[in-house]
């Protein structure tokens, strides 16, 4: 990886950690398209591994607001769908992964922007968990379905529950990817190399997360995802 690529990734990861630490979502939506443009081989292991320390921190910080019931249903469905995400990764040629991530990102952002107000129930939790299991294992992007479920809940509840669901899912996806030969230790090393950038973004979010307008932050993330996804598709 060149110094220029590493610098761009570090800045992107720091921004993404700040956004997700503040709003509860956005890390993969920001990092995956940029990583796909710079070096498609980083997907999905690099993105999944980078999110683990961030979600550990957010889950602990917001633990009092955790929705245990929702997290349980989402996690069960997420784990059940993980093998399907691995199958998608096998079916998608390496040269097409950027295009797939771009399409998935744009569709997820459009759905999230257009979704009406609703109160989530068991069916919504299970559906969100299943879709997240497919898309996050294959591409590293799994936030939009969870954002849809919790977008009208208190910001602290969204941050805590999404962080816990992500954390369990990321560990499961990485374990399955490495067990089937789809993971690279080099990508874990690259994620570790950028830990200072993740820590910086998370630290900055600590002082503003309780004051930010979560709806506006979410809108920014989804609009960024739309632009990044289109760029990624055009460059595939």
């Amino acid at each position: 990886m060149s110094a220029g690529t590493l610098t761009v990734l570090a800045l992107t990861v720091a921004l993404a950690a700040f956004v997700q630490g503040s709003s509860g979502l956005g890390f993969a939506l920001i990092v995956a398209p940029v990583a796909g443009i710079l070096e498609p081989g980083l997907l999905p292991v690099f993105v999944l591994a980078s999110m683990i320390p961030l979600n550990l921190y957010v889950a602990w910080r917001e633990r009092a607001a955790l929705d245990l019931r929702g997290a349980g249903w989402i996690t069960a469905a997420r784990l059940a769908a993980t093998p399907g995400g691995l199958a998608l990764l096998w079916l998608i040629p390496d040269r097409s992964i950027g295009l797939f991530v771009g399409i998935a990102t744009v569709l997820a952002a459009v759905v999230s922007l257009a979704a009406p107000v609703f109160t989530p129930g068991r069916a919504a939790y299970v559906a969100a968990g299943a879709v997240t299991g497919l898309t996050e294992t294959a591409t590293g992007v799994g936030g939009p379905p969870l954002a849809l479920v919790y977008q009208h809940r208190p910001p602290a509840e969204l941050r805590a529950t999404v962080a816990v669901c992500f954390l369990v899912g990321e560990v499961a996806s990485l374990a399955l990817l490495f067990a089937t030969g789809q993971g690279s230790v080099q990508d874990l090393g690259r994620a570790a190399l950028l830990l200072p950038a993740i820590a910086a973004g998370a630290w900055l979010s600590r002082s503003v997360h309780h004051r930010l307008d979560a709806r506006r932050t979410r809108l920014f993330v989804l609009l960024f995802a739309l632009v990044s996804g289109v760029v990624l598709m055009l460059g595939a």
Side-chain angles (χ1 to χ4, degrees):
M1 187 186 299
S2 69
T5 297
L6 186 61
T7 300
V8 172
L9 277 177
L11 292 173
T12 303
V13 163
L15 171 63
F18 170 75
V19 171
Q20 180 146 331
S22 302
S23 68
L25 65 142
F27 187 93
L29 278 175
I30 293 173
V31 175
V34 175
I37 293 168
L38 294 175
E39 196 166 336
L42 290 173
L43 301 172
V45 172
F46 170 79
V47 178
L48 291 169
S50 296
M51 291 179 70
I52 288 177
L54 174 63
N55 284 317
L56 272 171
Y57 167 70
V58 174
W60 174 256
R61 188 187 69 192
E62 309 281 356
R63 61 191 182 279
L66 176 65
D67 173 19
L68 283 172
R69 176 175 175 271
W73 283 110
I74 289 169
T75 299
R78 164 73 173 80
L79 294 176
T82 295
L86 182 63
L88 279 179
L89 193 60
W90 278 333
L91 292 172
I92 302 168
D94 289 342
R95 64 181 181 275
S96 299
I97 190 68
L99 178 62
F100 182 82
V101 173
I103 292 172
T105 301
V106 169
L107 288 177
V110 169
V111 171
S112 294
L113 284 168
V117 177
F118 70 99
T119 300
R122 184 186 303 177
Y125 295 139
V126 171
V131 174
T132 297
L134 291 172
T135 61
E136 191 174 29
T137 304
T139 69
V141 178
L146 302 185
L148 274 174
V149 171
Y150 283 98
Q151 62 183 309
H152 304 298
R153 301 297 300 160
E157 183 179 320
L158 182 153
R159 288 191 296 265
T161 310
V162 168
V164 169
C165 293
F166 272 154
L167 187 58
V168 175
E170 286 148 11
V171 172
S173 291
L174 284 172
L176 189 57
L177 287 166
F178 274 90
T180 55
Q182 297 292 310
S184 167
V185 176
Q186 186 178 24
D187 290 336
L188 294 180
R190 289 167 173 170
L193 192 63
L194 293 180
L195 277 174
I198 296 171
W203 181 81
L204 287 172
S205 75
R206 183 185 64 171
S207 59
V208 300
H209 72 92
H210 56 287
R211 291 184 290 178
L212 283 181
D213 184 327
R215 289 175 181 264
R216 291 182 181 178
T217 303
R218 171 179 168 272
L219 181 62
F220 163 76
V221 171
L222 295 177
L223 289 176
F224 182 94
L226 282 171
V227 174
S228 299
V230 169
V231 172
L232 188 54
M233 286 190 289
L234 292 176

